[in-house]
Amino acid sequence: MSVGSTGEIRPEQGRLAFDEVEPAVGEPEVDVAPYEAAVPEEGPKRVVRVLPDVAAVSKAFDYLVPEAWSRDGRGERLGIGSRVRIILHGRRVAGWVVDDQVEPPPGVALRPLSRLSGLGPSVELIDLARWAAHRWVGPVAGLLSTASPPTMVEALGSPPHPWTVPATDDRWYDEAWRVDPDGRPSVVRLPPGDDVLPLVLEAARLGDALILAPTAEAVRRLAGRLRRTGVPVSVAPRDWARAAAGGVVVGARAGAWAPVRDLRAVLVLDEHDDAYREERSPTWNARDVAVERARRAGVPCVLVSSNPSVESLEVAGPERVSVPSRSAERIGWPVVDLIDRRTDDAVRSGLFSPLLVSVLRGDGGDPVVCVLNRKGRSRLLACNACGVLARCEVHDAALVEDRPAGVDEMPRLRCPVDGAVRPVVCDSCGGTRMRNLRAGVNRVREELEALAGRPVVEVTAETDPAALDGAHAGLFVGTEAVLHRIGRRVARVIFLDFDQELLAPRMRAADQAMALLARAAHLLGPRSTGGRLIVQTRQPDHEVLQAVLHADPGRLAVAERERREILGLAPFGALARISGAVAPAFMERLAAAEGRTAPGIEVMGPRDDAWLVRAPDPVALSDLLRSVERPPGRLRIEVDPARA
């Protein structure tokens, strides 16, 4: 099989001689030997088309359904989406049936299927996977793997009993559930302090619903709340068989591909969250997959966010956006304190403003959460005597400080590129004392303990959330992961160096900075709880901070929309990042492609061994990239890159 420009699967025939087949070591021979005779049996044969679950194979092959399967019932269970085992190039591999009752070319001896493994994605999800593979320029097999159960499922259970959803009051966003004739989703700008449960219950009231939340922890909490209301809930992908039998399905990113018996509604919470973006190829976005899935099913799709993305606002249209009243939105955001550090000495003032001391000591209540998106101890060092930055002589990168575990061992300077270490000595003057210009979380924790006079808990992406549930500490510090790991209300959230988020060299830096503030506001709760969001900055007039200060995310949306339209970025254009060992060869072939000179196509780079390809829309970008033959070797294509 080859994938064409529209994502369709083109078949190839399994024409290997039967006597060349060698069974894989440890694999039982199931219904294979009787069907390897050179003389075919009389009568019509059932032929299916199978897509192998092999990363390097993008073709589909035709296989015979063994006669024995029609006698023992396996033939009835076999259908499009079934997971099977086949013999391919002398070894047994898994695969999916993507077509049934295929008419093979005359005179071709086909191999039989080896095993029926169980149920897999539905016909609708297979078609959706073909669309997504074209949209994000990647293999269909990877998407079908996400849509398949994590373990073998032979049959589904009984549908759940009818459920009664608790009544909720009429809300200002009730009109969002109206189905759009053009299949557009609706957007609900829900303040971070508002409860999402009424929206979730409304989705459940419509029938079998698919509900997405950005993180596994959010999914776990939401599923627990739903079960306490009496609504049958399945968590994807763990409860794959139960989800396919019926009821409400809740999941994170992979949940966009979960089976739903009779889909009636789709709800995406925190649709702006980057956690919905798949990092592996193809780099699909669960929000966009959910929108397309709802459109194909003709059911309502509601995207919920305290700060809706420009992409969602554009695809929905202004008439499909529900916004609360100004007073209601202000109540849903916490009080924001901006600490203006423009007049502070950039070197001598340190990371902590004097205004923070009382807050860190708990005068405004506990717990207090400090956020700093820098791991380690020191990310930028300068000689205390001459002020020269500590940099690697080979890579010209800023050296970082390593403090060995041994008590008697001295600190070292380490190159972040190759890991080479050296003593703490200035190359310019030979000084041995360094000034920390950009501290990491590990070093900040030590300074916080000294400043606040109490223990500080450090939280990073590696921290187990369960370990924090019972923690009674009053002061936490960590990367942005701390905002996801703590599952309870907090009194204060402090961003120690928010300018690094506002000035990040990324095209979506403003959106990502706004998302951090919205997540912190969710932890603090509505204004009535008394929580405060504290931001240290030298850019208090930045549109992101002004939007949060006035509890009006629309201020940022307007500015960001204008900026993207001028630059031709999504949703007013499409972007792909090309990298990998064979990226130079791929780009040479792309330069010779016919579509390379089409209007709106632009190639930028290389920069950091990667290229950016921009097109006027996703279809034009996908068609161009798919028209280029891939050279053998490692190649990574990121469509809609999150960190470009």
Side-chain angles (χ1 to χ4, degrees):
M1 178 214 63
S2 63
V3 180
S5 62
T6 57
E8 75 275 7
I9 296 176
R10 299 174 182 168
E12 299 287 345
Q13 303 298 322
R15 303 185 183 184
L16 301 179
F18 287 151
D19 56 4
E20 295 177 0
V21 175
E22 293 292 335
V25 177
E27 280 282 349
E29 298 187 20
V30 182
D31 296 328
V32 173
Y35 304 96
E36 296 184 352
V39 180
E41 297 182 13
E42 298 296 331
K45 305 295 182 183
R46 182 183 175 188
V47 178
V48 296
R49 188 158 293 155
V50 179
L51 177 66
D53 186 10
V54 180
V57 178
S58 59
K59 299 178 180 179
F61 300 89
D62 293 346
Y63 285 84
L64 283 173
V65 178
E67 292 288 340
W69 289 22
S70 62
R71 296 191 294 269
D72 61 19
R74 279 180 288 178
E76 290 186 16
R77 300 200 306 270
L78 180 72
I80 297 179
S82 295
R83 302 174 76 181
V84 295
R85 301 282 290 185
I86 58 174
I87 295 178
L88 184 68
H89 297 299
R91 63 190 184 100
R92 298 179 191 273
V93 299
W96 298 271
V97 175
V98 295
D99 203 356
D100 199 355
Q101 303 295 347
V102 176
E103 186 67 31
V108 176
L110 301 180
R111 298 184 185 278
L113 298 173
S114 295
R115 177 191 299 169
L116 176 61
S117 301
L119 300 176
S122 64
V123 175
E124 293 77 14
L125 285 179
I126 292 176
D127 289 340
L128 186 67
R130 290 168 175 163
W131 167 83
H134 181 262
R135 166 69 174 80
W136 285 282
V137 193
V140 178
L143 298 167
L144 294 184
S145 179
T146 304
S148 299
T151 58
M152 295 303 173
V153 176
E154 295 185 357
L156 303 180
S158 301
H161 295 293
W163 61 90
T164 301
V165 178
T168 57
D169 298 333
D170 291 339
R171 304 274 176 161
W172 51 268
Y173 46 69
D174 285 345
E175 190 67 17
W177 294 105
R178 178 175 52 85
V179 179
D180 182 69
D182 298 327
R184 294 178 300 172
S186 61
V187 174
V188 174
R189 198 167 87 189
L190 192 72
D194 284 16
D195 192 1
V196 299
L197 188 61
L199 271 164
V200 174
L201 292 176
E202 188 59 36
R205 186 175 287 107
L206 297 177
D208 294 348
L210 176 61
I211 301 171
L212 302 183
T215 64
E217 187 63 18
V219 168
R220 181 184 68 83
R221 293 193 180 103
L222 183 59
R225 295 185 68 187
L226 270 175
R227 291 191 182 102
R228 288 191 288 273
T229 67
V231 175
V233 180
S234 303
V235 175
R238 182 191 66 199
D239 304 329
W240 193 95
R242 191 190 308 168
V248 175
V249 182
V250 181
R253 180 175 57 236
W257 300 95
V260 183
R261 182 190 60 175
D262 184 19
L263 185 63
R264 292 296 179 181
V266 174
L267 177 65
V268 182
L269 304 176
D270 292 333
E271 60 82 16
H272 63 272
D273 202 303
D274 277 344
Y276 286 125
R277 297 174 183 268
E278 174 60 66
E279 295 182 356
R280 299 169 298 179
S281 181
T283 55
W284 51 273
N285 189 306
R287 175 200 62 207
D288 298 340
V289 172
V291 169
E292 177 66 15
R293 186 172 180 180
R295 187 192 67 80
R296 294 178 175 222
V299 301
C301 178
V302 178
L303 308 178
V304 183
S305 173
S306 56
N307 50 299
S309 62
V310 178
E311 292 91 338
S312 295
L313 294 173
E314 192 66 19
V315 73
E319 67 277 7
R320 299 279 296 169
V321 179
S322 299
V323 179
S325 65
R326 290 300 305 130
S327 60
E329 192 158 31
R330 289 191 190 95
I331 292 172
W333 282 83
V335 175
V336 178
D337 295 326
L338 299 183
I339 298 181
D340 188 352
R341 307 207 69 190
R342 286 177 293 184
T343 59
D344 294 348
D345 186 292
V347 175
R348 301 182 185 278
S349 60
L351 187 61
F352 307 103
S353 165
L355 299 175
L356 290 181
V357 176
S358 62
V359 177
L360 296 173
R361 293 176 179 174
D363 289 353
D366 283 335
V368 177
V369 175
C370 298
V371 183
L372 181 66
N373 263 337
R374 294 197 294 264
K375 298 177 67 175
R377 292 184 54 80
S378 301
R379 310 303 300 180
L380 187 64
L381 294 165
C383 176
N384 195 57
C386 67
V388 172
L389 295 179
R391 302 199 303 188
C392 175
E393 296 178 347
V394 178
H395 303 100
D396 204 33
L399 297 173
V400 298
E401 183 187 29
D402 269 355
R403 188 172 292 271
V407 177
D408 297 332
E409 296 187 54
M410 298 295 292
R412 303 171 299 179
L413 299 180
R414 176 176 56 83
C415 174
V417 178
D418 60 4
V421 297
R422 47 171 274 193
V424 182
V425 178
C426 175
D427 288 335
S428 178
C429 69
T432 58
R433 294 184 61 188
M434 294 289 170
R435 185 167 62 246
N436 193 352
L437 300 182
R438 192 172 297 165
V441 167
N442 187 257
R443 175 65 177 268
V444 169
R445 178 187 59 80
E446 299 172 1
E447 295 179 2
L448 276 175
E449 287 184 338
L451 184 62
R454 55 176 176 162
V456 179
V457 176
E458 181 181 340
V459 182
T460 63
E462 291 74 31
T463 304
D464 183 4
L468 298 177
D469 287 344
H472 298 291
L475 186 54
F476 296 84
V477 65
T479 61
E480 65 181 85
V482 70
L483 301 175
H484 297 275
R485 296 295 187 272
I486 295 180
R488 62 181 188 272
R489 285 273 187 256
V490 300
R492 300 288 187 270
V493 174
I494 305 172
F495 284 91
L496 297 174
D497 185 7
F498 200 68
D499 289 340
Q500 81 168 55
E501 311 298 336
L502 298 176
L503 300 175
R506 300 189 293 265
M507 295 182 181
R508 299 181 61 251
D511 276 355
Q512 291 161 351
M514 184 70 180
L516 283 178
L517 296 176
R519 178 61 195 171
H522 178 73
L523 277 182
L524 292 164
R527 190 161 302 215
S528 60
T529 62
R532 300 183 85 92
L533 177 59
I534 305 173
V535 181
Q536 292 193 135
T537 179
R538 285 182 165 82
Q539 302 181 82
D541 297 327
H542 195 283
E543 56 209 20
V544 171
L545 297 177
Q546 288 299 309
V548 175
L549 184 65
H550 293 89
D552 185 7
R555 293 183 177 221
L556 175 62
V558 171
E560 188 68 10
R561 186 186 189 281
E562 294 176 354
R563 184 182 301 114
R564 294 196 189 186
E565 192 169 14
I566 293 173
L567 297 176
L569 301 176
F572 308 103
L575 191 71
R577 185 177 187 270
I578 316 295
S579 61
V582 299
F586 180 86
M587 296 306 298
E588 288 181 5
R589 297 181 181 183
L590 187 144
E594 293 183 3
R596 167 66 177 81
T597 57
I601 300 295
E602 182 182 1
V603 176
M604 296 166 280
R607 181 180 178 184
D608 298 330
D609 299 323
W611 286 259
L612 293 178
V613 180
R614 184 165 56 188
D617 57 74
V619 175
L621 179 65
S622 300
D623 289 346
L624 172 63
L625 296 178
R626 283 197 172 278
S627 68
V628 180
E629 182 181 358
R630 295 195 182 195
R634 186 176 64 85
L635 179 69
R636 178 169 173 80
I637 299 178
E638 302 172 73
V639 177
D640 302 335
R643 298 287 176 178

